[in-house]
Amino acid sequence: MDLAQEEPAGDGEMEELVRVSTANTPNGENHLQRTHFPGMVRKKAYIFDGLGNYYNKEWDLAEGSGQEFCWYHVELPKGKQKLSQSAQYLIDVLCPPLKLQDILSLVSNGPFCGHVDGALVFRVNSPGPPSSNFTFRLAARVTENSVITISLGRVPRLGFSPVGQSLLSEIPSIESPSYHRGERNEGSGIVIREHVLEFLLTMNHSEEADNPVPKSVSNLVVHIIDTHMDHLQDVVTKLEMELDSVELELDRGGFALKKEMLDDRRFPKMHLNLQRLLQVIAHGEQVFPRVKEKCYSKHWFASEDIGSLEELIGRLRRLKENVGFLANRVTAIQAGLDSWQSEQINRKLYYLSFLSIIFLPLSVITGVFGMNVGGVPWTVQKDPALKDGFQNVMGLCLAMLLLVLLCFIFPALYSRLTAWLRRRSLKRTWSHNRRSFLKRTIGLQERGGYLRI
């Protein structure tokens, strides 16, 4: 009991020491101590003039004035770091001016939408491992003249780049052995490799250079949610292509391929990834309608962007249905593999039971004649009248074996015999009806009458 009363006092002394050391530290020294993770996160800062133009700016977390607004984006690394480590990364780059409650509202797991310290904060952070490709984290802090976003890893098409740097605006040409990567010949376009085309075919959106530049904070919020939806759609498209290729492999493959897929637990892992994806979509279904409701009351949020949010919410619901169809396909394929595996096991058990049925009577016979008791026939070694005892026992075993095989073969022979008898009776009935039909036809033709149908 004494220890339980002393522990809170120690925690209070430690908290007081931390507060005193922080208060006695100058602002410049505190800023130097905060930079503990240089280069661990990627940062992007833009300023928009409200007329369709944007410029890169320094990372000062300042808000815009008038029609200008700023956007600051932090890209957390996809690794095996803990959630507390991610929070330390955000404290390192966002504090000040953000407070601890802002950091916690942005980095915590699960769905959230609400006002924190006067700013609109929403997040769709899934609680999966950060290194997984099916773990999505997107959080935003929105004010009238600034937006701060945090994502886990790179989100395609989220940023902005000059139009001249777009690969989609180039004229492509067919790859040939004389071309090198990125080579451009006169009279022909740039050579696009096959793996680049495969990557572009999985994308359901354009590049960063083709993004329309937002003219207001509401346009920027819609752009952020839209790119998040495109990222989810890209992952679903890759899963669909992978599932199609796996189905083709299963149709063409044999025993070895199916056994390898069962040993690798490929479809249970794919089903788990789909469930994680469904969890992310469910978080979006909870958060984005609330974002629309809260933005509806903002005077700086355009009504056209409210309609765009409604379209994105409908798109998210359709995406959820698509992921559900994929989960059903994976479940059906896994059920087919399980039935195939059970069929293989049943076949092996059938062979084993067949062998046991064959050797069980033989073991009984050999056991009877191997008894060391008197009165067993054909067991006297020195009697010349019983010299054929071994042959008699082997003949008895052979007869028993033939009887067992006949018991197994009899059902198949019986079914074949009944089928032959049925076909023979049908042929006789058909030939009899044909002869009677011909007799009636010939008689009517001789009389010149009509045949009743």
Side-chain angles (χ1 to χ4, degrees), residues 61-229:
L61 298 175
E63 296 191 358
S65 59
Q67 293 185 352
E68 294 181 348
F69 57 95
C70 302
W71 179 29
Y72 304 95
H73 178 67
V74 180
E75 183 179 314
L76 295 174
K78 291 183 71 68
K80 296 182 178 181
Q81 70 272 4
K82 298 180 180 179
L83 194 62
S84 58
Q85 188 71 29
S86 300
Q88 289 181 356
Y89 292 158
L90 294 184
I91 292 173
D92 191 28
V93 298
L94 296 179
C95 296
L98 266 62
K99 301 177 182 178
L100 181 59
Q101 60 180 353
D102 298 321
I103 299 298
L104 296 179
S105 63
L106 291 172
V107 78
S108 299
N109 287 327
F112 175 78
C113 179
H115 289 88
V116 178
D117 199 14
L120 175 62
V121 177
F122 65 89
R123 68 170 185 265
V124 282
N125 296 343
S126 57
S131 58
S132 175
N133 293 328
F134 297 89
T135 301
F136 296 85
R137 292 179 183 175
L138 179 68
R141 182 181 185 272
V142 185
T143 59
E144 184 175 358
N145 295 103
S146 71
V147 177
I148 298 175
T149 56
I150 294 96
S151 68
L152 180 63
R154 180 181 178 272
V155 179
R157 203 176 66 87
L158 183 61
F160 298 92
S161 61
V163 179
Q165 297 180 3
S166 176
L167 181 63
L168 301 180
S169 61
E170 300 289 343
I171 300 176
S173 63
I174 302 298
E175 181 181 1
S176 63
S178 61
Y179 290 161
H180 298 284
R181 185 178 182 181
E183 180 183 357
R184 184 194 299 270
N185 292 341
E186 185 177 357
S188 62
I190 188 171
V191 177
I192 307 297
R193 296 295 183 91
E194 183 179 359
H195 66 278
V196 178
L197 288 175
E198 291 179 355
F199 172 73
L200 292 176
L201 287 173
T202 60
M203 297 172 57
N204 296 276
H205 48 78
S206 57
E207 288 188 339
E208 293 181 352
D210 299 318
N211 290 336
V213 180
K215 298 181 180 180
S216 62
V217 173
S218 59
N219 293 152
L220 182 57
V221 172
V222 171
H223 168 75
I224 292 169
I225 299 176
D226 189 17
T227 52
H228 174 69
M229 295 291 301

